[in-house]
């Protein structure tokens, strides 16, 4: 769909750019590319006296995702899945989807997938020990999957790019966890 009617049904565009309430199989279009055009990464390691800091970042740009979570969970009459709060918000500022609509592939659910992730931050402090058994120790705090900068409305714009369906953000996936670690490294004499 490229628009929505006052009655909450999708409006479609044909190959000639004309709009209609009827979806025609021959009018399907390619709506994006699920493979990023650019990948980038940046790693930093700093040391200030006894303090060390490591930051790992990466991103992908120039690709689109089909947001399956929204496609199935923003349809008011489709109760097989949990409903998102956005289900009852007007589409394109006009009206809410009609209760008789079923989930369908359409351009409304295709989004830019560009993202920049701070994957890992590790902050450590090094101790010199005057001990017959231990010569040094390092205490550190680390985070994994620290945060993601993206305009994507789904859980995570980093989706599986393998196989025949790159760019599909599967609806039944488990969210990527954020992990915190507090640790100690000890050097023995």
């Amino acid at each position: 769909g490229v628009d929505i009617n006052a009655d909450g049904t999708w409006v479609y565009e044909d190959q000639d750019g004309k709009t209609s309430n009827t979806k025609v199989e021959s009018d399907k279009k390619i709506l994006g590319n699920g493979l990023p055009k650019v990948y980038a990464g940046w790693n930093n390691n700093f040391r200030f006296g006894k303090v060390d800091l490591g930051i790992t970042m990466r991103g992908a740009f120039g690709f689109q995702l089909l947001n399956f979570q929204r496609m199935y969970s923003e349809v008011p009459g489709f109760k097989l899945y949990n409903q998102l709060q956005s289900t009852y918000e007007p589409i394109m500022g006009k009206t809410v989807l009609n209760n008789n609509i079923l989930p369908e592939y359409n351009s409304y659910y295709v989004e830019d997938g560009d993202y920049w992730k701070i994957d890992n931050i590790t902050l450590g402090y090094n101790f010199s020990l005057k001990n017959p058994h231990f010569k040094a120790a390092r205490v550190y705090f680390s985070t994994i999957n620290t945060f993601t900068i993206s305009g994507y409305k789904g859980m995570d714009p980093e989706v599986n790019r393998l196989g025949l369906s790159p760019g599909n953000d599967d609806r039944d996936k488990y969210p990527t966890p954020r992990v915190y670690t507090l640790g100690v490294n000890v050097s023995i004499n």
Side-chain angles (χ1 to χ4, degrees):
V2 294
D3 203 353
I4 190 165
N5 280 334
D7 64 356
T9 59
W10 292 113
V11 175
Y12 303 97
E13 182 179 77
D14 67 15
Q15 294 290 342
D16 299 324
K18 296 177 184 168
T19 58
S20 165
N21 292 341
T22 308
K23 182 167 54 171
V24 178
E25 194 72 19
S26 63
D27 287 330
K28 287 185 175 180
K29 299 177 183 179
I30 294 173
L31 296 174
N33 180 5
L35 297 172
K37 293 178 182 173
V38 176
Y39 292 96
W42 188 17
N43 300 329
N44 292 295
N45 289 301
F46 304 101
R47 185 171 211 116
F48 312 102
K50 295 184 177 193
V51 176
D52 60 82
L53 175 66
I55 302 171
T56 304
M57 301 176 275
R58 63 190 168 83
F61 306 93
F63 70 109
Q64 292 73 41
L65 297 173
L66 177 57
N67 190 330
F68 273 88
Q69 288 103 13
R70 287 184 52 229
M71 190 169 78
Y72 279 84
S73 300
E74 286 187 350
V75 180
F78 193 70
K79 304 283 186 188
L80 295 177
Y81 288 87
N82 291 330
Q83 298 288 292
L84 295 173
Q85 185 175 359
S86 54
T87 301
Y88 303 101
E89 295 173 1
I91 293 177
M92 299 174 205
K94 295 181 179 181
T95 189
V96 176
L97 273 179
N98 186 306
N99 278 340
N100 297 321
I101 300 289
L102 291 174
E104 68 175 51
Y105 294 92
N106 80 44
S107 61
Y108 182 70
Y109 302 109
V110 175
E111 303 178 36
D112 285 333
D114 297 355
Y115 68 87
W116 186 253
K117 284 190 171 202
I118 309 294
D119 272 331
N120 178 275
I121 298 175
T122 302
L123 180 63
Y125 187 83
N126 298 281
F127 297 93
S128 297
L129 303 174
K130 298 190 186 325
N131 183 300
H133 304 291
F134 306 106
K135 66 177 175 180
R138 177 177 174 260
V139 176
Y140 66 92
F141 177 75
S142 179
T143 63
I144 297 174
N145 191 31
T146 308
F147 66 91
T148 303
I149 300 167
S150 178
Y152 181 61
K153 294 177 184 174
M155 287 190 289
D156 189 348
E158 186 174 20
V159 300
N160 186 357
R161 294 184 191 96
L162 304 175
L164 300 175
S165 59
N168 287 332
D169 188 2
D170 298 328
R171 68 176 183 257
D172 297 325
K173 71 178 185 182
Y174 192 78
T176 307
R178 180 173 295 128
V179 179
Y180 301 96
T181 305
L182 181 61
V184 176
N185 296 338
V186 177
S187 299
I188 300 173
N189 278 332

